[in-house]
mmCIF file of all heavy atoms in Angstrom:
data_model
loop_
_atom_site.group_PDB
_atom_site.id
_atom_site.type_symbol
_atom_site.label_atom_id
_atom_site.label_comp_id
_atom_site.label_asym_id
_atom_site.label_seq_id
_atom_site.Cartn_x
_atom_site.Cartn_y
_atom_site.Cartn_z
ATOM 1 N N CYS D 1201 -4.575 1.658 -10.767
ATOM 2 C CA CYS D 1201 -4.279 2.664 -9.663
ATOM 3 C C CYS D 1201 -4.507 4.081 -10.158
ATOM 4 O O CYS D 1201 -4.041 4.391 -11.303
ATOM 5 C CB CYS D 1201 -2.799 2.487 -9.223
ATOM 6 S SG CYS D 1201 -2.357 3.639 -7.949
ATOM 7 N N ALA D 1202 -5.146 4.857 -9.342
ATOM 8 C CA ALA D 1202 -5.448 6.275 -9.700
ATOM 9 C C ALA D 1202 -4.713 7.178 -8.753
ATOM 10 O O ALA D 1202 -4.933 8.405 -8.823
ATOM 11 C CB ALA D 1202 -6.941 6.529 -9.666
ATOM 12 N N GLY D 1203 -3.872 6.650 -7.890
ATOM 13 C CA GLY D 1203 -3.062 7.508 -7.033
ATOM 14 C C GLY D 1203 -3.746 8.161 -5.878
ATOM 15 O O GLY D 1203 -3.331 9.173 -5.412
ATOM 16 N N HIS D 1204 -4.886 7.513 -5.357
ATOM 17 C CA HIS D 1204 -5.605 8.079 -4.305
ATOM 18 C C HIS D 1204 -4.777 8.185 -2.994
ATOM 19 O O HIS D 1204 -4.967 9.009 -2.198
ATOM 20 C CB HIS D 1204 -6.875 7.292 -4.043
ATOM 21 C CG HIS D 1204 -7.845 7.369 -5.140
ATOM 22 N ND1 HIS D 1204 -8.619 8.469 -5.368
ATOM 23 C CD2 HIS D 1204 -8.186 6.492 -6.124
ATOM 24 C CE1 HIS D 1204 -9.429 8.255 -6.420
ATOM 25 N NE2 HIS D 1204 -9.147 7.079 -6.881
ATOM 26 N N GLY D 1205 -3.835 7.200 -2.812
ATOM 27 C CA GLY D 1205 -2.993 7.226 -1.666
ATOM 28 C C GLY D 1205 -3.520 6.604 -0.379
ATOM 29 O O GLY D 1205 -2.882 6.663 0.652
ATOM 30 N N VAL D 1206 -4.651 5.940 -0.467
ATOM 31 C CA VAL D 1206 -5.232 5.292 0.699
ATOM 32 C C VAL D 1206 -4.275 4.224 1.281
ATOM 33 O O VAL D 1206 -4.081 4.204 2.469
ATOM 34 C CB VAL D 1206 -6.626 4.680 0.323
ATOM 35 C CG1 VAL D 1206 -7.157 3.885 1.500
ATOM 36 C CG2 VAL D 1206 -7.598 5.760 -0.040
ATOM 37 N N CYS D 1207 -3.704 3.439 0.371
ATOM 38 C CA CYS D 1207 -2.807 2.401 0.810
ATOM 39 C C CYS D 1207 -1.577 2.935 1.480
ATOM 40 O O CYS D 1207 -1.206 2.446 2.607
ATOM 41 C CB CYS D 1207 -2.390 1.494 -0.360
ATOM 42 S SG CYS D 1207 -1.655 2.403 -1.781
ATOM 43 N N ALA D 1208 -0.954 3.959 0.927
ATOM 44 C CA ALA D 1208 0.235 4.509 1.535
ATOM 45 C C ALA D 1208 -0.148 5.235 2.867
ATOM 46 O O ALA D 1208 0.710 5.196 3.769
ATOM 47 C CB ALA D 1208 0.886 5.480 0.626
ATOM 48 N N GLY D 1209 -1.264 5.758 2.954
ATOM 49 C CA GLY D 1209 -1.709 6.360 4.221
ATOM 50 C C GLY D 1209 -1.955 5.382 5.307
ATOM 51 O O GLY D 1209 -1.587 5.625 6.439
ATOM 52 N N LEU D 1210 -2.461 4.198 4.939
ATOM 53 C CA LEU D 1210 -2.727 3.154 5.935
ATOM 54 C C LEU D 1210 -1.437 2.364 6.308
ATOM 55 O O LEU D 1210 -1.269 2.003 7.435
ATOM 56 C CB LEU D 1210 -3.758 2.162 5.428
ATOM 57 C CG LEU D 1210 -5.181 2.672 5.396
ATOM 58 C CD1 LEU D 1210 -6.042 1.650 4.642
ATOM 59 C CD2 LEU D 1210 -5.668 2.810 6.806
ATOM 60 N N CYS D 1211 -0.625 2.101 5.372
ATOM 61 C CA CYS D 1211 0.595 1.293 5.584
ATOM 62 C C CYS D 1211 1.820 1.723 4.781
ATOM 63 O O CYS D 1211 2.198 1.140 3.795
ATOM 64 C CB CYS D 1211 0.219 -0.175 5.215
ATOM 65 S SG CYS D 1211 1.421 -1.358 5.855
ATOM 66 N N PRO D 1212 2.436 2.829 5.271
ATOM 67 C CA PRO D 1212 3.583 3.360 4.583
ATOM 68 C C PRO D 1212 4.836 2.430 4.595
ATOM 69 O O PRO D 1212 5.761 2.678 3.856
ATOM 70 C CB PRO D 1212 3.895 4.670 5.344
ATOM 71 C CG PRO D 1212 3.272 4.488 6.636
ATOM 72 C CD PRO D 1212 2.078 3.579 6.424
ATOM 73 N N ASP D 1213 4.809 1.391 5.480
ATOM 74 C CA ASP D 1213 5.897 0.458 5.451
ATOM 75 C C ASP D 1213 5.828 -0.517 4.258
ATOM 76 O O ASP D 1213 6.780 -1.198 3.905
ATOM 77 C CB ASP D 1213 5.900 -0.350 6.726
ATOM 78 C CG ASP D 1213 6.281 0.501 7.925
ATOM 79 O OD1 ASP D 1213 6.995 1.425 7.791
ATOM 80 O OD2 ASP D 1213 5.867 0.112 9.039
ATOM 81 N N VAL D 1214 4.663 -0.573 3.619
ATOM 82 C CA VAL D 1214 4.471 -1.501 2.484
ATOM 83 C C VAL D 1214 4.216 -0.738 1.176
ATOM 84 O O VAL D 1214 4.662 -1.170 0.082
ATOM 85 C CB VAL D 1214 3.302 -2.463 2.764
ATOM 86 C CG1 VAL D 1214 3.025 -3.353 1.585
ATOM 87 C CG2 VAL D 1214 3.648 -3.353 4.020
ATOM 88 N N PHE D 1215 3.556 0.386 1.260
ATOM 89 C CA PHE D 1215 3.169 1.119 0.040
ATOM 90 C C PHE D 1215 3.783 2.520 0.051
ATOM 91 O O PHE D 1215 3.929 3.129 1.133
ATOM 92 C CB PHE D 1215 1.626 1.344 -0.023
ATOM 93 C CG PHE D 1215 0.877 0.041 -0.119
ATOM 94 C CD1 PHE D 1215 0.297 -0.490 1.057
ATOM 95 C CD2 PHE D 1215 0.735 -0.703 -1.277
ATOM 96 C CE1 PHE D 1215 -0.441 -1.667 1.041
ATOM 97 C CE2 PHE D 1215 -0.021 -1.875 -1.286
ATOM 98 C CZ PHE D 1215 -0.580 -2.363 -0.133
ATOM 99 N N THR D 1216 4.039 3.082 -1.095
ATOM 100 C CA THR D 1216 4.440 4.455 -1.261
ATOM 101 C C THR D 1216 3.703 5.011 -2.516
ATOM 102 O O THR D 1216 3.276 4.244 -3.344
ATOM 103 C CB THR D 1216 5.988 4.617 -1.357
ATOM 104 O OG1 THR D 1216 6.358 5.938 -1.311
ATOM 105 C CG2 THR D 1216 6.473 4.019 -2.668
ATOM 106 N N ILE D 1217 3.751 6.305 -2.625
ATOM 107 C CA ILE D 1217 3.258 6.935 -3.874
ATOM 108 C C ILE D 1217 4.455 7.430 -4.613
ATOM 109 O O ILE D 1217 5.335 8.202 -4.079
ATOM 110 C CB ILE D 1217 2.300 8.127 -3.506
ATOM 111 C CG1 ILE D 1217 1.102 7.659 -2.704
ATOM 112 C CG2 ILE D 1217 1.864 8.822 -4.837
ATOM 113 C CD1 ILE D 1217 0.199 6.632 -3.461
ATOM 114 N N ASP D 1218 4.598 6.994 -5.847
ATOM 115 C CA ASP D 1218 5.710 7.283 -6.726
ATOM 116 C C ASP D 1218 5.698 8.831 -7.023
ATOM 117 O O ASP D 1218 4.690 9.323 -7.530
ATOM 118 C CB ASP D 1218 5.588 6.504 -8.024
ATOM 119 C CG ASP D 1218 6.750 6.710 -8.952
ATOM 120 O OD1 ASP D 1218 6.793 7.774 -9.609
ATOM 121 O OD2 ASP D 1218 7.644 5.772 -9.004
ATOM 122 N N ASP D 1219 6.763 9.514 -6.682
ATOM 123 C CA ASP D 1219 6.859 10.922 -6.942
ATOM 124 C C ASP D 1219 6.724 11.318 -8.444
ATOM 125 O O ASP D 1219 6.162 12.381 -8.740
ATOM 126 C CB ASP D 1219 8.124 11.513 -6.341
ATOM 127 C CG ASP D 1219 8.169 11.493 -4.870
ATOM 128 O OD1 ASP D 1219 7.078 11.561 -4.245
ATOM 129 O OD2 ASP D 1219 9.275 11.464 -4.299
ATOM 130 N N ASP D 1220 7.239 10.506 -9.293
ATOM 131 C CA ASP D 1220 7.210 10.846 -10.720
ATOM 132 C C ASP D 1220 5.856 10.596 -11.385
ATOM 133 O O ASP D 1220 5.402 11.465 -12.110
ATOM 134 C CB ASP D 1220 8.262 10.008 -11.481
ATOM 135 C CG ASP D 1220 9.658 10.376 -11.076
ATOM 136 O OD1 ASP D 1220 9.919 11.550 -10.667
ATOM 137 O OD2 ASP D 1220 10.564 9.455 -11.086
ATOM 138 N N GLU D 1221 5.253 9.502 -11.042
ATOM 139 C CA GLU D 1221 3.980 9.168 -11.758
ATOM 140 C C GLU D 1221 2.753 9.361 -10.843
ATOM 141 O O GLU D 1221 1.627 9.411 -11.333
ATOM 142 C CB GLU D 1221 4.043 7.705 -12.224
ATOM 143 C CG GLU D 1221 5.145 7.506 -13.277
ATOM 144 C CD GLU D 1221 5.202 5.995 -13.738
ATOM 145 O OE1 GLU D 1221 4.167 5.371 -13.625
ATOM 146 O OE2 GLU D 1221 6.243 5.638 -14.167
ATOM 147 N N GLY D 1222 2.931 9.464 -9.573
ATOM 148 C CA GLY D 1222 1.769 9.682 -8.668
ATOM 149 C C GLY D 1222 0.940 8.487 -8.355
ATOM 150 O O GLY D 1222 -0.146 8.598 -7.827
ATOM 151 N N PHE D 1223 1.463 7.320 -8.682
ATOM 152 C CA PHE D 1223 0.740 6.062 -8.393
ATOM 153 C C PHE D 1223 1.380 5.242 -7.284
ATOM 154 O O PHE D 1223 2.553 5.434 -7.011
ATOM 155 C CB PHE D 1223 0.650 5.203 -9.688
ATOM 156 C CG PHE D 1223 -0.043 5.946 -10.798
ATOM 157 C CD1 PHE D 1223 0.580 6.169 -11.996
ATOM 158 C CD2 PHE D 1223 -1.340 6.353 -10.704
ATOM 159 C CE1 PHE D 1223 -0.039 6.830 -13.039
ATOM 160 C CE2 PHE D 1223 -2.001 6.984 -11.723
ATOM 161 C CZ PHE D 1223 -1.348 7.233 -12.876
ATOM 162 N N ALA D 1224 0.597 4.390 -6.693
ATOM 163 C CA ALA D 1224 1.119 3.553 -5.599
ATOM 164 C C ALA D 1224 2.140 2.529 -6.085
ATOM 165 O O ALA D 1224 2.044 1.996 -7.174
ATOM 166 C CB ALA D 1224 -0.050 2.843 -4.897
ATOM 167 N N ARG D 1225 3.044 2.270 -5.228
ATOM 168 C CA ARG D 1225 4.090 1.219 -5.475
ATOM 169 C C ARG D 1225 4.247 0.430 -4.143
ATOM 170 O O ARG D 1225 4.087 0.954 -3.088
ATOM 171 C CB ARG D 1225 5.437 1.820 -5.833
ATOM 172 C CG ARG D 1225 5.451 2.654 -7.050
ATOM 173 C CD ARG D 1225 5.407 1.789 -8.337
ATOM 174 N NE ARG D 1225 5.364 2.604 -9.485
ATOM 175 C CZ ARG D 1225 4.324 2.671 -10.341
ATOM 176 N NH1 ARG D 1225 3.236 1.965 -10.114
ATOM 177 N NH2 ARG D 1225 4.327 3.450 -11.367
ATOM 178 N N VAL D 1226 4.546 -0.843 -4.286
ATOM 179 C CA VAL D 1226 4.829 -1.739 -3.172
ATOM 180 C C VAL D 1226 6.367 -1.640 -2.924
ATOM 181 O O VAL D 1226 7.131 -1.772 -3.839
ATOM 182 C CB VAL D 1226 4.457 -3.182 -3.463
ATOM 183 C CG1 VAL D 1226 4.788 -4.116 -2.329
ATOM 184 C CG2 VAL D 1226 2.930 -3.247 -3.761
ATOM 185 N N VAL D 1227 6.714 -1.446 -1.689
ATOM 186 C CA VAL D 1227 8.126 -1.232 -1.371
ATOM 187 C C VAL D 1227 8.772 -2.455 -0.706
ATOM 188 O O VAL D 1227 9.921 -2.330 -0.262
ATOM 189 C CB VAL D 1227 8.325 0.053 -0.490
ATOM 190 C CG1 VAL D 1227 7.955 1.273 -1.259
ATOM 191 C CG2 VAL D 1227 7.613 -0.032 0.799
ATOM 192 N N VAL D 1228 8.029 -3.610 -0.617
ATOM 193 C CA VAL D 1228 8.581 -4.804 0.023
ATOM 194 C C VAL D 1228 8.362 -5.960 -0.980
ATOM 195 O O VAL D 1228 7.403 -5.947 -1.735
ATOM 196 C CB VAL D 1228 7.988 -5.106 1.381
ATOM 197 C CG1 VAL D 1228 8.268 -4.022 2.369
ATOM 198 C CG2 VAL D 1228 6.470 -5.301 1.312
ATOM 199 N N ASP D 1229 9.220 -6.969 -0.887
ATOM 200 C CA ASP D 1229 9.008 -8.148 -1.721
ATOM 201 C C ASP D 1229 7.906 -9.011 -1.088
ATOM 202 O O ASP D 1229 7.045 -9.479 -1.790
ATOM 203 C CB ASP D 1229 10.283 -8.960 -1.812
ATOM 204 C CG ASP D 1229 11.325 -8.263 -2.682
ATOM 205 O OD1 ASP D 1229 10.961 -7.558 -3.658
ATOM 206 O OD2 ASP D 1229 12.510 -8.403 -2.384
ATOM 207 N N LEU D 1230 7.986 -9.223 0.182
ATOM 208 C CA LEU D 1230 6.965 -9.934 0.919
ATOM 209 C C LEU D 1230 6.489 -9.103 2.120
ATOM 210 O O LEU D 1230 7.260 -8.529 2.786
ATOM 211 C CB LEU D 1230 7.509 -11.284 1.427
ATOM 212 C CG LEU D 1230 7.901 -12.344 0.374
ATOM 213 C CD1 LEU D 1230 8.541 -13.525 1.043
ATOM 214 C CD2 LEU D 1230 6.646 -12.711 -0.428
ATOM 215 N N VAL D 1231 5.177 -9.154 2.290
ATOM 216 C CA VAL D 1231 4.597 -8.341 3.445
ATOM 217 C C VAL D 1231 4.936 -9.035 4.712
ATOM 218 O O VAL D 1231 4.619 -10.207 4.902
ATOM 219 C CB VAL D 1231 3.075 -8.268 3.253
ATOM 220 C CG1 VAL D 1231 2.489 -7.455 4.432
ATOM 221 C CG2 VAL D 1231 2.745 -7.506 1.957
ATOM 222 N N PRO D 1232 5.540 -8.317 5.686
ATOM 223 C CA PRO D 1232 5.773 -8.917 7.014
ATOM 224 C C PRO D 1232 4.434 -9.257 7.720
ATOM 225 O O PRO D 1232 3.458 -8.525 7.576
ATOM 226 C CB PRO D 1232 6.536 -7.826 7.760
ATOM 227 C CG PRO D 1232 7.098 -6.935 6.740
ATOM 228 C CD PRO D 1232 6.122 -7.002 5.592
ATOM 229 N N PRO D 1233 4.398 -10.370 8.425
ATOM 230 C CA PRO D 1233 3.132 -10.756 9.106
ATOM 231 C C PRO D 1233 2.489 -9.693 9.911
ATOM 232 O O PRO D 1233 1.276 -9.599 9.989
ATOM 233 C CB PRO D 1233 3.575 -11.933 9.958
ATOM 234 C CG PRO D 1233 4.812 -12.483 9.293
ATOM 235 C CD PRO D 1233 5.471 -11.285 8.706
ATOM 236 N N GLU D 1234 3.265 -8.787 10.562
ATOM 237 C CA GLU D 1234 2.688 -7.789 11.420
ATOM 238 C C GLU D 1234 1.878 -6.735 10.622
ATOM 239 O O GLU D 1234 1.142 -5.959 11.159
ATOM 240 C CB GLU D 1234 3.718 -7.113 12.274
ATOM 241 C CG GLU D 1234 4.774 -6.343 11.501
ATOM 242 C CD GLU D 1234 6.059 -7.164 11.155
ATOM 243 O OE1 GLU D 1234 5.954 -8.451 11.167
ATOM 244 O OE2 GLU D 1234 7.070 -6.583 10.888
ATOM 245 N N HIS D 1235 2.021 -6.774 9.283
ATOM 246 C CA HIS D 1235 1.305 -5.791 8.420
ATOM 247 C C HIS D 1235 0.161 -6.469 7.614
ATOM 248 O O HIS D 1235 -0.556 -5.776 6.877
ATOM 249 C CB HIS D 1235 2.274 -5.173 7.395
ATOM 250 C CG HIS D 1235 3.292 -4.280 8.041
ATOM 251 N ND1 HIS D 1235 2.966 -3.229 8.876
ATOM 252 C CD2 HIS D 1235 4.638 -4.313 8.005
ATOM 253 C CE1 HIS D 1235 4.054 -2.627 9.304
ATOM 254 N NE2 HIS D 1235 5.114 -3.284 8.767
ATOM 255 N N PHE D 1236 -0.097 -7.765 7.807
ATOM 256 C CA PHE D 1236 -1.112 -8.463 7.016
ATOM 257 C C PHE D 1236 -2.486 -7.782 7.167
ATOM 258 O O PHE D 1236 -3.179 -7.537 6.178
ATOM 259 C CB PHE D 1236 -1.263 -9.913 7.471
ATOM 260 C CG PHE D 1236 -0.169 -10.840 7.009
ATOM 261 C CD1 PHE D 1236 0.905 -10.381 6.285
ATOM 262 C CD2 PHE D 1236 -0.244 -12.186 7.253
ATOM 263 C CE1 PHE D 1236 1.928 -11.234 5.814
ATOM 264 C CE2 PHE D 1236 0.742 -13.061 6.809
ATOM 265 C CZ PHE D 1236 1.777 -12.598 6.040
ATOM 266 N N VAL D 1237 -2.912 -7.466 8.403
ATOM 267 C CA VAL D 1237 -4.246 -6.923 8.597
ATOM 268 C C VAL D 1237 -4.401 -5.561 7.901
ATOM 269 O O VAL D 1237 -5.410 -5.318 7.214
ATOM 270 C CB VAL D 1237 -4.552 -6.814 10.141
ATOM 271 C CG1 VAL D 1237 -5.857 -6.042 10.359
ATOM 272 C CG2 VAL D 1237 -4.661 -8.210 10.756
ATOM 273 N N VAL D 1238 -3.428 -4.679 8.054
ATOM 274 C CA VAL D 1238 -3.525 -3.383 7.483
ATOM 275 C C VAL D 1238 -3.416 -3.392 5.967
ATOM 276 O O VAL D 1238 -4.071 -2.572 5.251
ATOM 277 C CB VAL D 1238 -2.613 -2.421 8.154
ATOM 278 C CG1 VAL D 1238 -1.140 -2.591 7.696
ATOM 279 C CG2 VAL D 1238 -2.974 -0.938 7.895
ATOM 280 N N VAL D 1239 -2.677 -4.309 5.419
ATOM 281 C CA VAL D 1239 -2.595 -4.463 3.958
ATOM 282 C C VAL D 1239 -3.908 -4.946 3.364
ATOM 283 O O VAL D 1239 -4.402 -4.456 2.381
ATOM 284 C CB VAL D 1239 -1.418 -5.395 3.575
ATOM 285 C CG1 VAL D 1239 -1.543 -5.804 2.082
ATOM 286 C CG2 VAL D 1239 -0.091 -4.683 3.834
ATOM 287 N N ARG D 1240 -4.561 -5.875 4.108
ATOM 288 C CA ARG D 1240 -5.924 -6.268 3.693
ATOM 289 C C ARG D 1240 -6.909 -5.132 3.752
ATOM 290 O O ARG D 1240 -7.749 -4.949 2.863
ATOM 291 C CB ARG D 1240 -6.434 -7.426 4.597
ATOM 292 C CG ARG D 1240 -5.695 -8.761 4.308
ATOM 293 C CD ARG D 1240 -6.365 -9.898 5.102
ATOM 294 N NE ARG D 1240 -5.439 -10.996 5.274
ATOM 295 C CZ ARG D 1240 -5.155 -11.943 4.290
ATOM 296 N NH1 ARG D 1240 -5.669 -11.764 3.129
ATOM 297 N NH2 ARG D 1240 -4.356 -12.905 4.559
ATOM 298 N N GLN D 1241 -6.776 -4.310 4.748
ATOM 299 C CA GLN D 1241 -7.615 -3.100 4.855
ATOM 300 C C GLN D 1241 -7.392 -2.181 3.679
ATOM 301 O O GLN D 1241 -8.302 -1.618 3.112
ATOM 302 C CB GLN D 1241 -7.395 -2.405 6.182
ATOM 303 C CG GLN D 1241 -7.963 -3.119 7.378
ATOM 304 C CD GLN D 1241 -7.523 -2.446 8.690
ATOM 305 O OE1 GLN D 1241 -6.722 -1.530 8.737
ATOM 306 N NE2 GLN D 1241 -8.183 -2.890 9.759
ATOM 307 N N ALA D 1242 -6.142 -1.983 3.365
ATOM 308 C CA ALA D 1242 -5.750 -1.080 2.219
ATOM 309 C C ALA D 1242 -6.374 -1.629 0.943
ATOM 310 O O ALA D 1242 -6.896 -0.861 0.135
ATOM 311 C CB ALA D 1242 -4.219 -0.999 2.094
ATOM 312 N N ALA D 1243 -6.329 -2.923 0.692
ATOM 313 C CA ALA D 1243 -6.928 -3.515 -0.470
ATOM 314 C C ALA D 1243 -8.427 -3.324 -0.525
ATOM 315 O O ALA D 1243 -9.028 -2.948 -1.529
ATOM 316 C CB ALA D 1243 -6.568 -4.986 -0.559
ATOM 317 N N GLU D 1244 -9.039 -3.480 0.604
ATOM 318 C CA GLU D 1244 -10.529 -3.370 0.720
ATOM 319 C C GLU D 1244 -10.934 -1.906 0.482
ATOM 320 O O GLU D 1244 -11.965 -1.652 -0.006
ATOM 321 C CB GLU D 1244 -10.987 -3.850 2.061
ATOM 322 C CG GLU D 1244 -10.896 -5.315 2.260
ATOM 323 C CD GLU D 1244 -11.132 -5.793 3.660
ATOM 324 O OE1 GLU D 1244 -11.389 -4.969 4.573
ATOM 325 O OE2 GLU D 1244 -11.076 -7.019 3.884
ATOM 326 N N ARG D 1245 -10.135 -0.943 0.968
ATOM 327 C CA ARG D 1245 -10.502 0.453 0.891
ATOM 328 C C ARG D 1245 -10.010 1.188 -0.360
ATOM 329 O O ARG D 1245 -10.322 2.314 -0.562
ATOM 330 C CB ARG D 1245 -9.920 1.182 2.172
ATOM 331 C CG ARG D 1245 -10.524 0.697 3.442
ATOM 332 C CD ARG D 1245 -9.978 1.380 4.643
ATOM 333 N NE ARG D 1245 -10.500 0.850 5.845
ATOM 334 C CZ ARG D 1245 -10.134 1.208 7.063
ATOM 335 N NH1 ARG D 1245 -9.240 2.185 7.190
ATOM 336 N NH2 ARG D 1245 -10.602 0.628 8.127
ATOM 337 N N CYS D 1246 -9.200 0.530 -1.172
ATOM 338 C CA CYS D 1246 -8.695 1.100 -2.394
ATOM 339 C C CYS D 1246 -9.851 1.475 -3.319
ATOM 340 O O CYS D 1246 -10.581 0.562 -3.780
ATOM 341 C CB CYS D 1246 -7.762 0.152 -3.065
ATOM 342 S SG CYS D 1246 -7.182 0.777 -4.709
ATOM 343 N N PRO D 1247 -10.075 2.739 -3.575
ATOM 344 C CA PRO D 1247 -11.217 3.152 -4.443
ATOM 345 C C PRO D 1247 -11.134 2.597 -5.864
ATOM 346 O O PRO D 1247 -12.150 2.307 -6.464
ATOM 347 C CB PRO D 1247 -11.094 4.670 -4.508
ATOM 348 C CG PRO D 1247 -10.261 5.071 -3.381
ATOM 349 C CD PRO D 1247 -9.333 3.917 -3.120
ATOM 350 N N ALA D 1248 -9.940 2.267 -6.327
ATOM 351 C CA ALA D 1248 -9.754 1.755 -7.697
ATOM 352 C C ALA D 1248 -9.698 0.214 -7.746
ATOM 353 O O ALA D 1248 -9.621 -0.372 -8.808
ATOM 354 C CB ALA D 1248 -8.486 2.335 -8.335
#
């Protein structure tokens, strides 16, 4: 992770950018089904 923030921008209910380190973090244990499509998009669009 290089902290680009694409994932948090696409799906803030699942990803956040850590204020201390500037890298993405997952904020849920399991992704709710209604977020599956956008999480897949975030993975595909992640520059790193």
